[in-house]
Amino acid sequence: MYDILVYLFENYYTPQSCPRAEILASKLAAVGFEHDDINDALNWLRSLASSTERCLPLALPEGPHPAATRIYTSNEYAALGSEAIGFITFLEISGSLPPALREILIETAQEADSFPLSLSEIKVLALMVLWSQEAEVDHLVFEELLADDDNRLSH
């Protein structure tokens, strides 16, 4: 699934340039991705769209106070793991991940197929959340999102 998400990021400049799910599935299969991975990726993208609808109201002026601290539930901590939570905190502190996008990332990360998430996995999911919202990302943060970790994605 993660390789497909990276492929989408690399091949479609904006989410709007992605074809509909049926056409995208055919294109991904033609490139050589496995059917199960394609289904997982498309399901994750549907989850991303659903989470976005629920969480974007947090971006309104009456949303969370900028100095508010996010407390993770025990379920979130178990699903994400300390490495992923640390990376989410890094993105927040750097100003790259506002509260609404953080909540979208947390929700969609919990839809992943393995727990806790590796650093490589949370980076790909964060990249896709930012890509889906066409968010501006600092160049150094962008490089960190694209950095190839030792435990490269194998799912």
Side-chain angles (χ1 to χ4, degrees), residues 25-127:
S26 295
K27 287 184 178 221
L28 292 170
V31 174
F33 289 109
E34 298 291 325
H35 182 70
D36 288 342
D37 289 336
I38 293 169
N39 284 337
D40 289 346
L42 293 177
N43 286 335
W44 187 86
L45 290 169
R46 284 185 202 96
S47 173
L48 174 61
S50 177
S51 292
T52 299
E53 285 182 32
R54 281 191 306 280
C55 295
L56 276 185
L58 293 173
L60 298 174
E62 63 273 2
H65 189 277
T69 300
R70 173 62 155 88
I71 305 297
Y72 291 85
T73 67
S74 57
N75 289 341
E76 291 170 336
Y77 194 85
L80 299 171
S82 59
E83 198 170 31
I85 290 172
F87 190 72
I88 291 170
T89 302
F90 160 74
L91 292 174
E92 286 182 273
I93 291 169
S94 73
S96 299
L97 194 66
L101 297 187
R102 177 198 62 218
E103 293 306 311
I104 293 168
L105 176 57
I106 292 168
E107 267 196 30
T108 56
Q110 292 180 83
E111 299 292 322
D113 56 358
S114 65
F115 300 112
L117 295 174
S118 71
L119 184 56
S120 292
E121 291 166 339
I122 196 65
K123 283 181 178 183
V124 170
L125 299 182
L127 183 66

XYZ file of all heavy atoms in Angstrom, residues 25-127:
776
model
N -7.274 2.251 -10.317
C -6.983 0.839 -10.034
C -6.426 0.146 -11.270
O -5.456 -0.618 -11.190
C -8.229 0.127 -9.520
N -7.026 0.417 -12.421
C -6.540 -0.181 -13.676
C -5.127 0.289 -14.006
O -4.277 -0.511 -14.401
C -7.476 0.170 -14.822
O -8.734 -0.394 -14.622
N -4.877 1.577 -13.832
C -3.550 2.118 -14.118
C -2.500 1.527 -13.179
O -1.394 1.192 -13.602
C -3.555 3.650 -13.998
C -4.275 4.335 -15.136
C -4.154 5.844 -15.023
C -4.836 6.481 -16.210
N -4.106 7.605 -16.747
N -2.858 1.398 -11.905
C -1.918 0.840 -10.933
C -1.623 -0.621 -11.235
O -0.479 -1.071 -11.123
C -2.455 1.002 -9.508
C -2.536 2.434 -8.996
C -3.306 2.494 -7.674
C -1.153 3.050 -8.839
N -2.651 -1.364 -11.639
C -2.450 -2.770 -12.007
C -1.553 -2.870 -13.243
O -0.680 -3.739 -13.320
C -3.791 -3.451 -12.252
N -1.753 -1.963 -14.192
C -0.953 -1.974 -15.414
C 0.523 -1.684 -15.131
O 1.411 -2.187 -15.821
C -1.500 -0.958 -16.415
N 0.784 -0.897 -14.097
C 2.158 -0.571 -13.717
C 2.801 -1.742 -12.983
O 4.024 -1.822 -12.900
C 2.183 0.711 -12.855
C 3.554 1.026 -12.314
C 1.662 1.890 -13.631
N 1.979 -2.644 -12.447
C 2.527 -3.835 -11.803
C 2.236 -3.988 -10.325
O 2.768 -4.892 -9.684
N 1.398 -3.126 -9.763
C 1.050 -3.269 -8.347
C 0.065 -4.416 -8.161
O -0.759 -4.697 -9.032
C 0.447 -1.969 -7.800
C 1.448 -0.863 -7.648
C 1.417 0.242 -8.490
C 2.428 -0.921 -6.661
C 2.336 1.271 -8.356
C 3.360 0.104 -6.526
C 3.306 1.194 -7.368
N 0.163 -5.083 -7.012
C -0.696 -6.213 -6.681
C -2.118 -5.745 -6.366
O -2.313 -4.669 -5.794
C -0.135 -6.975 -5.472
C 1.223 -7.576 -5.698
C 1.188 -8.719 -6.694
O 0.197 -9.466 -6.715
O 2.161 -8.843 -7.460
N -3.082 -6.594 -6.703
C -4.494 -6.278 -6.499
C -4.804 -5.949 -5.032
O -5.508 -4.971 -4.750
C -5.357 -7.449 -6.991
C -6.820 -7.218 -6.871
N -7.505 -6.315 -7.660
C -7.740 -7.771 -6.040
C -8.778 -6.312 -7.320
N -8.951 -7.202 -6.347
N -4.299 -6.750 -4.103
C -4.568 -6.500 -2.676
C -3.995 -5.161 -2.223
O -4.635 -4.432 -1.457
C -3.989 -7.624 -1.814
C -4.777 -8.914 -1.943
O -5.937 -8.880 -2.416
O -4.223 -9.972 -1.565
N -2.793 -4.827 -2.691
C -2.181 -3.548 -2.330
C -2.975 -2.381 -2.917
O -3.128 -1.343 -2.264
C -0.731 -3.484 -2.817
C 0.178 -4.401 -2.019
O -0.150 -4.727 -0.865
O 1.232 -4.794 -2.568
N -3.472 -2.553 -4.131
C -4.287 -1.514 -4.764
C -5.554 -1.298 -3.950
O -5.926 -0.154 -3.644
C -4.624 -1.881 -6.228
C -3.353 -1.882 -7.077
C -5.669 -0.925 -6.807
C -3.521 -2.474 -8.457
N -6.218 -2.376 -3.561
C -7.437 -2.250 -2.742
C -7.142 -1.566 -1.414
O -7.903 -0.700 -0.971
C -8.082 -3.615 -2.513
C -8.824 -4.102 -3.729
O -9.230 -3.333 -4.586
N -8.996 -5.409 -3.810
N -6.033 -1.960 -0.762
C -5.658 -1.337 0.511
C -5.429 0.162 0.330
O -5.883 0.972 1.148
C -4.395 -1.988 1.087
C -4.635 -3.389 1.611
O -5.811 -3.793 1.786
O -3.623 -4.098 1.847
N -4.718 0.536 -0.721
C -4.425 1.950 -0.965
C -5.703 2.734 -1.266
O -5.902 3.832 -0.733
C -3.433 2.102 -2.119
N -6.571 2.176 -2.084
C -7.826 2.871 -2.405
C -8.715 2.993 -1.171
O -9.356 4.031 -0.958
C -8.564 2.168 -3.542
C -7.870 2.225 -4.909
C -8.662 1.439 -5.946
C -7.663 3.660 -5.364
N -8.744 1.959 -0.338
C -9.515 2.038 0.906
C -8.936 3.092 1.836
O -9.673 3.844 2.476
C -9.563 0.674 1.608
C -10.484 -0.286 0.908
O -11.419 0.106 0.218
N -10.213 -1.572 1.073
N -7.602 3.184 1.897
C -6.972 4.198 2.743
C -7.295 5.594 2.214
O -7.584 6.501 2.995
C -5.454 3.988 2.825
C -4.841 4.913 3.826
C -4.723 4.713 5.163
C -4.308 6.218 3.558
N -4.144 5.815 5.743
C -3.883 6.748 4.790
C -4.155 6.988 2.408
C -3.307 8.017 4.905
C -3.585 8.249 2.507
C -3.166 8.752 3.746
N -7.288 5.762 0.900
C -7.623 7.066 0.318
C -9.078 7.442 0.601
O -9.382 8.614 0.857
C -7.340 7.068 -1.187
C -5.860 7.044 -1.564
C -5.691 6.765 -3.049
C -5.175 8.344 -1.175
N -9.975 6.453 0.593
C -11.374 6.727 0.968
C -11.452 7.160 2.428
O -12.191 8.075 2.783
C -12.243 5.493 0.729
C -12.576 5.261 -0.716
C -13.563 4.086 -0.896
N -13.458 3.580 -2.237
C -12.718 2.541 -2.621
N -12.042 1.834 -1.746
N -12.666 2.170 -3.884
N -10.683 6.491 3.271
C -10.633 6.854 4.686
C -10.082 8.272 4.853
O -10.573 9.039 5.684
C -9.758 5.854 5.443
O -9.570 6.258 6.767
N -9.092 8.623 4.060
C -8.528 9.969 4.090
C -9.593 11.002 3.737
O -9.732 12.024 4.413
C -7.339 10.068 3.129
C -6.715 11.449 2.934
C -6.173 12.000 4.239
C -5.606 11.376 1.883
N -10.371 10.738 2.705
C -11.436 11.665 2.302
C -12.475 11.806 3.414
O -12.923 12.919 3.724
C -12.080 11.193 1.008
N -12.836 10.709 4.025
C -13.827 10.728 5.103
C -13.290 11.483 6.330
O -13.998 12.311 6.916
C -14.187 9.288 5.472
O -15.071 9.261 6.547
N -12.054 11.216 6.705
C -11.449 11.911 7.842
C -11.318 13.400 7.567
O -11.494 14.218 8.475
C -10.062 11.329 8.153
O -10.182 10.027 8.638
N -11.008 13.737 6.347
C -10.883 15.145 5.976
C -12.202 15.870 6.186
O -12.236 16.972 6.741
C -10.406 15.278 4.515
O -9.123 14.655 4.404
C -10.307 16.730 4.090
N -13.306 15.261 5.775
C -14.624 15.876 5.976
C -14.910 16.110 7.453
O -15.475 17.135 7.820
C -15.715 14.996 5.372
C -15.789 15.049 3.873
C -16.916 14.186 3.331
O -17.962 14.048 4.013
O -16.750 13.633 2.235
N -14.534 15.150 8.294
C -14.805 15.263 9.731
C -13.877 16.252 10.423
O -14.280 16.926 11.367
C -14.668 13.906 10.413
C -15.840 12.997 10.231
C -15.766 11.784 11.137
N -14.523 11.026 11.029
C -14.247 10.139 10.070
N -15.139 9.906 9.131
N -13.105 9.495 10.052
N -12.631 16.336 9.990
C -11.626 17.099 10.734
C -11.411 18.523 10.247
O -10.886 19.350 10.995
C -10.293 16.356 10.716
S -10.347 14.772 11.591
N -11.775 18.838 9.032
C -11.514 20.196 8.532
C -12.220 21.292 9.317
O -11.707 22.403 9.388
C -11.817 20.302 7.044
C -10.671 19.835 6.151
C -10.986 20.081 4.686
C -9.340 20.456 6.512
N -13.365 21.026 9.967
C -13.929 22.084 10.815
C -12.976 22.541 11.924
O -13.098 23.654 12.425
C -15.193 21.444 11.398
C -15.608 20.462 10.352
C -14.311 19.923 9.802
N -11.997 21.729 12.281
C -10.997 22.144 13.273
C -10.159 23.310 12.764
O -9.544 24.020 13.551
C -10.064 20.981 13.610
C -10.672 19.801 14.349
C -9.656 18.668 14.452
C -11.141 20.217 15.724
N -10.119 23.500 11.454
C -9.319 24.577 10.864
C -10.026 25.933 10.958
O -9.418 26.961 10.691
C -8.994 24.257 9.409
N -11.291 25.932 11.346
C -12.022 27.189 11.470
C -11.464 28.019 12.628
O -10.862 27.477 13.550
C -13.507 26.897 11.696
C -14.203 26.138 10.558
C -15.632 25.780 10.952
C -14.175 26.945 9.275
N -11.677 29.320 12.597
C -11.117 30.187 13.647
C -11.506 29.754 15.066
O -10.741 29.924 15.993
C -11.698 31.563 13.329
C -12.026 31.508 11.883
C -12.370 30.084 11.577
N -12.683 29.172 15.221
C -13.092 28.740 16.562
C -12.568 27.345 16.906
O -12.965 26.752 17.895
C -14.613 28.789 16.714
C -15.379 27.864 15.796
C -15.696 28.465 14.432
O -15.307 29.599 14.153
O -16.342 27.784 13.644
N -11.660 26.819 16.089
C -11.054 25.501 16.322
C -10.141 25.526 17.538
O -10.163 26.465 18.331
N -9.320 24.486 17.708
C -8.461 24.393 18.897
C -7.520 25.584 19.029
O -7.042 26.126 18.047
C -7.660 23.111 18.675
C -8.274 22.409 17.534
C -9.130 23.374 16.797
N -7.255 25.963 20.262
C -6.317 27.039 20.547
C -4.925 26.601 20.090
O -4.529 25.458 20.302
C -6.322 27.341 22.045
C -5.542 28.559 22.382
N -4.178 28.535 22.554
C -5.934 29.839 22.553
C -3.752 29.748 22.828
N -4.802 30.560 22.841
N -4.165 27.495 19.445
C -2.840 27.119 18.925
C -1.890 26.563 19.990
O -1.012 25.764 19.685
C -2.291 28.418 18.345
C -3.453 29.329 18.189
C -4.513 28.863 19.137
N -2.048 26.962 21.231
C -1.160 26.491 22.288
C -1.679 25.221 22.959
O -1.060 24.723 23.898
C -0.969 27.588 23.329
N -2.785 24.687 22.490
C -3.350 23.476 23.085
C -2.413 22.297 22.868
O -1.728 22.207 21.861
C -4.714 23.182 22.470
N -2.391 21.384 23.818
C -1.562 20.192 23.733
C -2.435 19.002 23.371
O -3.496 18.801 23.959
C -0.872 19.915 25.083
O -0.058 21.041 25.405
C -0.023 18.664 25.021
N -1.992 18.207 22.433
C -2.724 17.010 22.004
C -2.339 15.861 22.922
O -1.177 15.540 23.058
C -2.385 16.693 20.540
C -2.951 15.385 20.003
C -4.478 15.423 20.042
N -5.119 14.553 19.096
C -5.420 13.268 19.333
N -5.080 12.693 20.456
N -6.062 12.574 18.418
N -3.327 15.261 23.568
C -3.106 14.098 24.415
C -3.595 12.877 23.636
O -4.731 12.847 23.167
C -3.875 14.207 25.753
C -3.526 15.506 26.489
C -3.628 12.981 26.613
C -2.087 15.619 26.910
N -2.748 11.882 23.494
C -3.088 10.678 22.739
C -3.757 9.659 23.650
O -3.333 9.456 24.786
C -1.829 10.067 22.108
C -1.273 10.937 21.016
C -0.403 11.988 21.301
C -1.636 10.733 19.697
C 0.094 12.802 20.290
C -1.145 11.533 18.684
C -0.287 12.569 18.994
O 0.200 13.375 17.998
N -4.799 9.006 23.143
C -5.462 7.947 23.891
C -4.572 6.712 23.886
O -3.638 6.605 23.081
C -6.828 7.582 23.270
O -6.594 6.973 21.984
C -7.727 8.796 23.142
N -4.870 5.764 24.752
C -4.077 4.537 24.785
C -4.209 3.765 23.469
O -3.246 3.170 22.987
C -4.468 3.657 25.972
O -5.837 3.353 25.933
N -5.391 3.794 22.834
C -5.579 3.136 21.531
C -4.746 3.812 20.451
O -4.154 3.145 19.602
C -7.048 3.121 21.128
C -7.864 2.161 21.962
O -7.334 1.255 22.598
N -9.168 2.365 21.978
N -4.727 5.141 20.448
C -3.921 5.868 19.471
C -2.440 5.567 19.686
O -1.705 5.334 18.729
C -4.172 7.381 19.578
C -5.536 7.798 19.119
C -5.857 9.241 19.446
O -5.265 9.817 20.403
O -6.727 9.806 18.767
N -2.021 5.568 20.944
C -0.618 5.299 21.239
C -0.229 3.892 20.784
O 0.842 3.683 20.206
C -0.332 5.483 22.729
C 1.139 5.542 23.016
C 1.838 6.736 22.920
C 1.840 4.391 23.344
C 3.201 6.780 23.154
C 3.206 4.423 23.568
C 3.874 5.625 23.478
O 5.225 5.666 23.690
N -1.106 2.915 21.021
C -0.818 1.533 20.608
C -0.740 1.421 19.089
O 0.105 0.712 18.545
C -1.882 0.586 21.156
N -1.633 2.122 18.391
C -1.667 2.053 16.928
C -0.492 2.791 16.302
O 0.119 2.303 15.352
C -2.987 2.630 16.402
N -0.182 3.951 16.825
C 0.858 4.783 16.216
C 2.254 4.425 16.695
O 3.195 4.390 15.897
C 0.575 6.255 16.506
C -0.747 6.804 15.974
C -0.991 8.199 16.518
C -0.773 6.791 14.472
N 2.415 4.226 17.968
C 3.732 3.985 18.531
C 4.463 5.280 18.816
O 4.124 6.342 18.283
N 5.457 5.213 19.659
C 6.167 6.422 20.093
C 6.935 7.086 18.954
O 7.043 8.302 18.898
C 7.095 6.111 21.263
O 8.028 5.121 20.899
N 7.469 6.292 18.031
C 8.236 6.875 16.916
C 7.341 7.729 16.024
O 7.694 8.847 15.648
C 8.896 5.753 16.111
C 10.019 6.220 15.239
C 10.804 5.064 14.644
O 10.225 3.983 14.395
O 12.001 5.254 14.408
N 6.148 7.224 15.700
C 5.211 7.974 14.856
C 4.706 9.213 15.586
O 4.621 10.297 14.991
C 4.049 7.082 14.431
N 4.387 9.069 16.865
C 3.902 10.226 17.637
C 5.001 11.277 17.721
O 4.732 12.477 17.584
C 3.408 9.786 19.032
C 2.104 8.992 18.872
C 3.207 10.991 19.953
C 1.586 8.339 20.133
N 6.234 10.847 17.907
C 7.352 11.793 17.918
C 7.481 12.528 16.599
O 7.735 13.738 16.570
N 7.281 11.830 15.487
C 7.383 12.474 14.180
C 6.213 13.436 13.957
O 6.405 14.526 13.404
C 7.446 11.439 13.061
C 7.798 12.051 11.741
C 9.083 12.496 11.499
C 6.842 12.206 10.758
C 9.413 13.102 10.289
C 7.166 12.803 9.545
C 8.465 13.250 9.309
N 5.020 13.054 14.389
C 3.863 13.957 14.284
C 4.142 15.228 15.084
O 3.873 16.344 14.615
C 2.578 13.248 14.762
C 2.195 12.143 13.782
C 1.437 14.250 14.931
C 1.091 11.216 14.271
N 4.709 15.079 16.279
C 5.049 16.234 17.105
C 6.084 17.109 16.402
O 5.970 18.341 16.403
C 5.568 15.767 18.480
O 4.560 14.958 19.098
C 5.899 16.944 19.379
N 7.076 16.494 15.775
C 8.073 17.246 14.999
C 7.388 18.075 13.903
O 7.706 19.253 13.715
C 9.093 16.279 14.382
C 9.849 16.856 13.219
C 10.847 17.795 13.410
C 9.548 16.457 11.915
C 11.542 18.336 12.329
C 10.233 16.991 10.831
C 11.230 17.928 11.039
N 6.446 17.459 13.182
C 5.741 18.179 12.117
C 4.922 19.342 12.679
O 4.859 20.411 12.075
C 4.842 17.230 11.323
C 5.552 16.184 10.474
C 4.542 15.225 9.853
C 6.403 16.838 9.398
N 4.311 19.136 13.834
C 3.544 20.209 14.475
C 4.453 21.364 14.871
O 4.157 22.520 14.585
C 2.849 19.692 15.730
C 1.664 18.811 15.470
C 1.028 18.405 16.777
O 1.468 17.389 17.347
O 0.105 19.123 17.222
N 5.553 21.041 15.556
C 6.473 22.071 16.037
C 7.078 22.851 14.871
O 7.284 24.054 14.961
C 7.573 21.443 16.929
C 6.950 20.957 18.231
C 8.702 22.429 17.199
C 7.871 20.101 19.073
N 7.325 22.164 13.758
C 7.909 22.838 12.595
C 6.903 23.737 11.883
O 7.277 24.486 10.992
C 8.453 21.800 11.605
O 7.384 21.153 10.929
N 5.636 23.635 12.268
C 4.600 24.454 11.639
C 4.047 23.835 10.370
O 3.241 24.447 9.671
N 4.427 22.612 10.070
C 3.985 21.955 8.840
C 2.666 21.215 8.981
O 2.050 20.863 7.988
C 5.044 20.953 8.369
O 6.246 21.611 8.092
N 2.242 20.967 10.221
C 1.060 20.155 10.449
C 0.120 20.859 11.429
O 0.227 20.694 12.643
C 1.474 18.774 10.997
C 0.425 17.685 10.979
C 0.061 17.298 9.549
C 0.935 16.459 11.716
N -0.804 21.667 10.888
C -1.772 22.337 11.770
C -2.711 21.310 12.415
O -2.790 20.162 11.968
C -2.518 23.280 10.826
C -2.230 22.814 9.457
C -0.974 22.010 9.492
N -3.423 21.708 13.475
C -4.271 20.764 14.215
C -5.237 19.950 13.352
O -5.386 18.752 13.569
C -5.027 21.657 15.199
C -4.102 22.803 15.432
C -3.427 23.034 14.107
N -5.886 20.560 12.393
C -6.844 19.817 11.564
C -6.144 18.712 10.783
O -6.632 17.574 10.719
C -7.575 20.760 10.609
N -4.992 19.008 10.197
C -4.255 17.992 9.441
C -3.659 16.944 10.362
O -3.564 15.771 9.999
C -3.178 18.642 8.573
C -3.683 19.591 7.492
C -2.539 20.047 6.593
C -4.799 18.986 6.682
N -3.278 17.346 11.561
C -2.784 16.377 12.542
C -3.864 15.347 12.856
O -3.612 14.149 12.892
C -2.367 17.093 13.833
C -1.903 16.136 14.928
C -1.906 16.782 16.295
N -3.241 17.197 16.665
C -3.523 18.318 17.321
N -2.576 19.150 17.695
N -4.766 18.616 17.628
N -5.083 15.818 13.065
C -6.172 14.901 13.385
C -6.495 13.983 12.207
O -6.791 12.806 12.397
C -7.414 15.677 13.834
C -7.222 16.404 15.154
C -6.746 15.497 16.275
O -7.345 14.415 16.478
O -5.771 15.867 16.966
N -6.414 14.521 10.996
C -6.616 13.683 9.809
C -5.535 12.607 9.760
O -5.822 11.435 9.520
C -6.608 14.541 8.517
C -7.828 15.465 8.491
C -6.571 13.658 7.275
C -7.765 16.538 7.424
N -4.290 12.995 10.013
C -3.185 12.039 9.997
C -3.374 10.959 11.065
O -3.208 9.770 10.784
C -1.851 12.764 10.184
C -0.601 11.886 10.278
C -0.459 10.989 9.049
C 0.633 12.761 10.462
N -3.744 11.354 12.258
C -3.937 10.388 13.342
C -5.061 9.412 12.997
O -4.908 8.200 13.153
C -4.211 11.105 14.679
C -2.950 11.840 15.140
C -4.687 10.116 15.747
C -3.176 12.815 16.285
N -6.174 9.938 12.509
C -7.307 9.068 12.142
C -6.931 8.085 11.047
O -7.215 6.899 11.138
C -8.500 9.905 11.676
C -9.461 10.240 12.762
C -10.792 10.719 12.226
O -11.232 10.313 11.130
O -11.425 11.517 12.939
N -6.316 8.590 10.003
C -6.004 7.711 8.877
C -4.858 6.756 9.190
O -4.825 5.641 8.677
C -5.681 8.516 7.594
O -4.604 9.417 7.858
C -6.897 9.287 7.122
N -3.943 7.166 10.051
C -2.853 6.272 10.438
C -3.386 5.058 11.188
O -2.827 3.965 11.084
C -1.830 7.025 11.288
N -4.468 5.246 11.900
C -5.068 4.130 12.626
C -5.758 3.140 11.686
O -6.128 2.048 12.098
C -6.050 4.640 13.676
C -5.334 5.383 14.794
C -6.286 5.882 15.827
O -6.676 5.146 16.712
N -6.683 7.137 15.681
N -5.904 3.501 10.414
C -6.483 2.611 9.407
C -5.416 1.737 8.750
O -5.734 0.905 7.908
C -7.197 3.426 8.317
C -8.344 4.274 8.812
C -9.510 3.441 9.290
O -9.802 2.403 8.665
O -10.121 3.837 10.298
N -4.153 1.948 9.127
C -3.050 1.191 8.529
C -3.166 -0.285 8.871
O -3.891 -0.675 9.786
C -1.721 1.758 9.009
N -2.411 -1.087 8.141
C -2.519 -2.539 8.288
C -1.554 -3.146 9.296
O -1.602 -4.346 9.541
C -2.348 -3.214 6.931
C -1.047 -2.837 6.248
O -0.300 -2.019 6.805
O -0.784 -3.362 5.160
N -0.668 -2.368 9.877
C 0.259 -2.900 10.872
C 0.462 -1.875 11.984
O 0.409 -0.669 11.740
C 1.595 -3.247 10.232
O 2.220 -2.075 9.746
N 0.695 -2.379 13.182
C 0.879 -1.497 14.330
C 2.034 -1.993 15.173
O 2.233 -3.203 15.269
C -0.393 -1.449 15.184
C -1.585 -0.947 14.425
C -2.634 -1.792 14.142
C -1.640 0.354 13.981
C -3.736 -1.346 13.433
C -2.734 0.817 13.276
C -3.782 -0.042 12.998
N 2.798 -1.149 15.813
C 2.801 0.295 15.598
C 3.439 0.626 14.256
O 4.136 -0.192 13.667
C 3.647 0.815 16.759
C 4.569 -0.301 17.090
C 3.794 -1.568 16.795
N 3.186 1.824 13.788
C 3.719 2.254 12.497
C 5.214 2.511 12.581
O 5.706 3.026 13.579
C 3.014 3.533 12.040
C 1.532 3.411 11.734
C 0.945 4.781 11.447
C 1.291 2.484 10.576
N 5.900 2.182 11.511
C 7.327 2.517 11.432
C 7.460 3.986 11.051
O 6.506 4.619 10.597
C 8.021 1.641 10.390
O 7.616 2.026 9.094
N 8.647 4.509 11.208
C 8.910 5.900 10.821
C 8.652 6.086 9.330
O 8.054 7.082 8.914
C 10.338 6.295 11.197
C 10.725 7.748 10.946
C 9.780 8.703 11.666
C 12.166 7.988 11.390
N 9.073 5.131 8.513
C 8.841 5.225 7.065
C 7.354 5.284 6.752
O 6.923 6.059 5.894
C 9.450 4.024 6.339
O 10.837 4.061 6.406
N 6.572 4.478 7.436
C 5.127 4.439 7.174
C 4.456 5.750 7.568
O 3.660 6.293 6.805
C 4.497 3.255 7.917
C 4.921 1.923 7.349
C 4.595 0.743 8.231
O 4.389 0.918 9.460
O 4.551 -0.385 7.691
N 4.770 6.280 8.749
C 4.136 7.536 9.164
C 4.562 8.686 8.249
O 3.783 9.587 7.969
C 4.387 7.854 10.661
C 3.415 8.934 11.154
C 5.815 8.270 10.915
C 1.970 8.546 11.164
N 5.793 8.640 7.752
C 6.236 9.686 6.823
C 5.404 9.664 5.544
O 4.998 10.708 5.036
C 7.712 9.516 6.479
C 8.652 9.968 7.558
C 10.097 9.774 7.119
C 11.072 10.268 8.150
N 12.465 10.141 7.674
N 5.155 8.470 5.005
C 4.360 8.365 3.778
C 2.941 8.848 4.041
O 2.374 9.611 3.240
C 4.350 6.918 3.233
C 3.332 6.758 2.115
C 5.741 6.526 2.747
N 2.360 8.443 5.146
C 0.989 8.870 5.451
C 0.917 10.377 5.663
O -0.018 11.031 5.186
C 0.454 8.113 6.669
C 0.360 6.592 6.525
C -0.223 5.968 7.776
C -0.422 6.182 5.287
N 1.907 10.935 6.355
C 1.942 12.391 6.545
C 2.079 13.107 5.201
O 1.396 14.102 4.942
C 3.093 12.776 7.474
N 2.952 12.596 4.358
C 3.131 13.177 3.030
C 1.814 13.185 2.258
O 1.449 14.182 1.632
C 4.199 12.390 2.269
C 4.577 12.891 0.892
C 5.264 14.244 0.985
C 5.489 11.886 0.211
